[in-house]
Amino acid sequence: MTKLPKISGKDCIRALSSMGFYIKRQTGSHIILRTDDPFCQLVVPNHKELDRGTLRAILRQADLSIHEFEKLL
């Protein structure tokens, strides 16, 4: 199994934005990203370092593999 990178919420948002996600809104430290075609909505916490489980769940919802995500970084 490939090891997840240790990244911040801001880096995660930057990588997902290059894939077509845009910021829909923000509630506190949680930023909601969205893409319209195909429809997908993600919640990314704007923390200094994302937990491995949180990052894994974000990638699963975005239908990305760890290898594909590392290319976006």
Side-chain angles (χ1 to χ4, degrees):
M1 180 175 283
T2 307
K3 195 170 184 176
L4 285 169
K6 291 187 178 186
I7 62 168
S8 67
K10 190 177 276 190
D11 292 337
C12 181
I13 291 168
R14 190 176 306 121
L16 291 171
S17 294
S18 68
M19 198 181 126
F21 283 88
Y22 61 91
I23 296 176
K24 176 75 173 167
R25 60 189 163 89
Q26 181 173 353
T27 305
S29 66
H30 291 80
I31 299 171
I32 290 84
L33 299 173
R34 184 175 182 176
T35 184
D36 294 326
D37 190 30
F39 179 80
C40 183
Q41 190 163 302
L42 305 172
V43 177
V44 179
N46 191 14
H47 298 160
K48 288 183 181 179
E49 187 176 312
L50 294 177
D51 289 335
R52 288 182 296 174
T54 303
L55 182 57
R56 190 175 302 281
I58 290 169
L59 296 180
R60 189 179 313 118
Q61 290 172 3
D63 198 29
L64 280 174
S65 70
I66 297 169
H67 185 67
E68 292 170 334
F69 183 70
E70 287 177 337
K71 286 182 182 177
L72 294 174
L73 294 174

